Amino acid sequence: MSYGQLCPYLDSKGFALHNLASLPHISIAGACTTATHGSGVKNGNLATAASALEIVTADGELIKLSRQNDGETFRGAVVGLGALGVIAKVTLDIQPTFMMRQYVYENLPLAQLKEHFDAIESSAYSVSLFTDWQKQRLNEVWIKSRVEAGHAFDATPEFFGAKLATRNLHPIAELSAENCTEQMGVPGPWYERLPHFRMGFTPSAGKELQSEYFVPREHALEAILAVERLRDQVTPHLMISEIRAIAADDLWMSPCYKQACITLHFTWKQDWPAVSKLLPVIEKELAPFNARPHWGKLFTTSPASLKSIYAKLPEFVQLSKKYDPQGKFRNEFLERNIFG
Ligand SMILES: Cc1cc2nc3c(=O)[nH]c(=O)nc-3n(C[C@H](O)[C@H](O)[C@H](O)COP(=O)(O)OP(=O)(O)OC[C@H]3O[C@@H](n4cnc5c(N)ncnc54)[C@H](O)[C@@H]3O)c2cc1C
């Protein structure tokens, strides 16, 4: 089941999820098992909403694991990268439904970000910054605010030097905003404001490649500036970058394990030979911050580096071997990055 299928049903019963990714098209099992995330300094990734799992293991047995009963085993299994078995059921935390407003600002000066990064990222329930890394500015700031007393975002015409947009925008301003969720402060249900892209339309730009790196929150600005220095290498191959914030969690294989993060995302033009040469350059610049790559996107980080930045990786290997001793669910990705 995809979030796009679940959310309208959930909303019709008066409930909501805490957060969503940039698109509702993705599957719930696929998102949780790869630690897919949205934005918001107080919002954990989508996997943190999972409170129980039912998994069909290699021997055909159905195992049930829950946050309440299985402690560390459960925390090891949620971001499972498909290694433990087939997830047949996921139980998610829900909350009462809520309404949101979305505002977009254009052209936030980099100098303002340097001065006020925390204030900008914390200014609403979910904040995303889009940039092509050029001209010392962030092209767009997407602000998603809950319509609730005490939470309302005050949509002044100017926001840290950026200007309030007067029409709906695509993250890549030149593209039509037809596939984007409603902006301009029009109130709407949570599931039609938390994603950037609408169900029923091609999300993002369609044909593209993606990479994303998680950096501990305390190194956010240094990491952003490290990528900004690479702008003339990055921009020719880039459609757009996005910077988001995610709260810390306790899921073993989550890139936010025990650390609040910001993420640096790259939507690349579909040119893998060029992108594959660029990723090691970016990864080298981000290595001092122990940057962790998104499991569901393209990276070239070595297996040895992954081991050094995932403290729980050895225990995750043991957990996987417990449920899949013969490696029935192993694939090339898992062999290389986890078991290699
Ligand atoms: C346009 C676009 C926008 C995106 N935006 C975001 C974003 O905002 N934030 C973000 O974090 N990521 C984003 N992503 C990447 C996203 O994290 C991955 O696509 C992710 O894998 C989501 O699930 P999926 O439906 O694509 O999963 P799938 O490709 O179905 O699954 C991913 C992996 O999960 C495992 N898996 C899937 N189903 C099961 C199951 N039932 N049992 C066991 N294992 C299973 C498998 O190992 C599989 O390879 C985006 C991707 C695209 C294409």
Side-chain angles (χ1 to χ4, degrees):
M1 182 183 256
S2 69
Y3 286 97
Q5 291 168 298
L6 171 69
C7 294
Y9 172 79
L10 206 52
D11 185 66
S12 73
K13 303 289 177 193
F15 296 106
L17 299 174
H18 80 294
N19 210 359
L20 290 169
S22 68
L23 74 175
H25 308 61
I26 53 176
S27 72
I28 297 161
C32 290
T33 204
T34 56
T36 292
H37 62 94
S39 191
V41 290
K42 293 188 182 153
N43 297 326
N45 66 45
L46 303 189
T48 61
S51 66
L53 296 173
E54 289 187 19
I55 304 177
V56 181
T57 54
D59 59 4
E61 207 188 320
L62 183 71
I63 58 159
K64 297 181 183 186
L65 297 172
S66 73
R67 190 193 285 148
Q68 200 173 354
N69 299 330
D70 299 289
E72 279 296 284
T73 304
F74 177 74
R75 291 189 277 278
V78 179
V79 180
L81 308 175
L84 274 58
V86 180
I87 301 163
K89 194 183 272 187
V90 186
T91 308
L92 297 174
D93 291 336
I94 53 174
Q95 56 182 269
T97 185
F98 55 92
M99 298 285 280
M100 298 193 83
R101 296 177 195 271
Q102 180 164 240
Y103 300 94
V104 175
Y105 285 84
E106 292 185 89
N107 297 319
L108 182 104
L110 187 61
Q112 290 283 339
L113 192 75
K114 286 183 194 169
E115 284 291 305
H116 305 289
F117 181 77
D118 281 335
I120 292 168
E121 277 294 343
S122 318
S123 60
Y125 189 73
S126 163
V127 175
S128 286
L129 307 169
F130 289 95
T131 181
D132 60 7
W133 303 103
Q134 293 293 320
K135 299 183 193 160
Q136 299 279 307
R137 55 96 171 88
L138 289 297
N139 307 43
E140 295 179 17
V141 184
W142 286 43
I143 290 184
K144 298 167 192 277
S145 167
R146 287 174 73 133
V147 182
E148 278 171 343
H151 288 272
F153 173 78
D154 183 14
T156 48
E158 211 177 297
F159 175 78
F160 295 99
K163 299 275 184 301
L164 188 60
T166 51
R167 61 187 168 93
N168 281 356
L169 286 174
H170 189 282
I172 304 167
E174 303 81 57
L175 298 186
S176 158
E178 189 197 18
N179 63 354
C180 297
T181 48
E182 189 67 40
Q183 302 157 30
M184 311 268 289
V186 178
W190 56 279
Y191 69 95
E192 290 182 349
R193 295 296 178 273
L194 284 170
H196 307 325
F197 301 105
R198 290 159 63 189
M199 199 64 188
F201 291 80
T202 302
S204 195
K207 280 190 175 178
E208 62 195 46
L209 305 175
Q210 299 188 359
S211 305
E212 190 168 36
Y213 300 94
F214 294 68
V215 175
R217 182 91 187 269
E218 66 265 27
H219 300 307
L221 210 51
E222 289 168 275
I224 291 168
L225 295 178
V227 176
E228 201 266 339
R229 284 194 293 276
L230 298 175
R231 60 187 175 277
D232 291 338
Q233 281 169 274
V234 167
T235 311
H237 306 289
L238 187 76
M239 291 191 178
I240 200 74
S241 271
E242 182 178 7
I243 300 167
R244 287 180 277 189
I246 303 117
D249 61 54
D250 56 7
L251 305 175
W252 292 4
M253 297 306 285
S254 162
C256 296
Y257 179 72
K258 303 263 155 101
Q259 62 181 27
C261 287
I262 64 127
T263 51
L264 299 164
H265 165 88
F266 303 83
T267 300
W268 302 112
K269 294 173 190 166
Q270 216 167 29
D271 180 359
W272 177 237
V275 171
S276 63
K277 288 195 191 80
L278 200 48
L279 294 184
V281 178
I282 296 172
E283 287 162 6
K284 185 164 170 262
E285 289 304 310
L286 296 180
F289 315 117
N290 286 335
R292 295 169 174 177
H294 192 306
W295 293 119
K297 301 185 184 183
L298 298 165
F299 60 88
T300 59
T301 311
S302 72
S305 302
L306 291 174
K307 279 202 177 70
S308 74
I309 50 183
Y310 276 94
K312 287 286 188 180
L313 202 143
E315 282 167 77
F316 179 73
V317 167
Q318 291 314 312
L319 188 66
S320 306
K321 286 184 175 165
K322 179 179 158 195
Y323 291 118
D324 183 14
Q326 311 296 331
K328 186 176 276 185
F329 294 109
R330 303 255 183 97
N331 57 18
E332 212 184 310
F333 178 90
L334 290 171
E335 290 293 1
R336 175 182 154 76
N337 294 301
I338 305 298
F339 296 95

